[in-house]
Amino acid sequence: MLVALFALIAWMIIIVFVLVPKRLTVTEMIFLYYIIGILTVTLFTILDVNLEWVPVTRDIEKSFALHICRFIIIPFLLMMASGILNSPLSRRWRWSIGVLILILLLVDDGLMLRFEMITFRHWSLLYSIPMYTMFIVTLTFITRWFVRLDREELK
């Protein structure tokens, strides 16, 4: 049941991702997805294995649902945030939507806590706010750099 719930959430996020206008090419989105994957897997592994601040469940169903979160939900939300912050929208709208995506990431953390997929030791949702904010800001600058690099190369 838990896998189905998170798969449904993942599908809704993918549908929204597809419907949101993007100025990024497929190559840029793939590059961004891999950068997000490297950063999130590294950070979540450090928090789980090395520091034991956010240990993950060892239950198989909850583990599958956690992988849906970490490989679909979180990366696609971060890619949407990075794409929107690099869009031509007004600064107010860009940051409003960025904050909304940050809230969705915190809700995702809350759901993972609620269904005991992760446990917080020496960690709280308040620590997740600067972590996800740093992810979004870092990815926005990486996206901006890569887009400029790619488009200047074509000239």
Side-chain angles (χ1 to χ4, degrees), residues 64-132:
F64 280 137
L66 182 67
H67 288 311
I68 290 171
C69 285
R70 290 197 173 164
F71 293 115
I72 298 173
I73 295 173
I74 294 172
F76 277 90
L77 284 172
L78 290 173
M79 282 190 345
M80 272 194 288
S82 177
I84 287 171
L85 288 176
N86 283 316
S87 71
L89 293 172
S90 69
R91 175 175 263 179
R92 179 177 166 208
W93 277 108
R94 284 187 306 204
W95 285 103
S96 298
I97 295 171
V99 168
L100 176 67
I101 291 174
L102 178 66
I103 291 169
L104 290 174
L105 287 165
L106 294 174
V107 167
D108 183 53
D109 270 5
L111 286 174
M112 288 189 287
L113 276 172
R114 167 74 172 89
F115 292 114
E116 298 174 351
M117 295 162 44
I118 59 175
T119 311
F120 281 171
R121 294 185 198 150
H122 310 293
W123 194 262
S124 73
L125 280 176
L126 294 177
Y127 294 154
S128 295
I129 293 170
M131 179 187 74
Y132 284 128

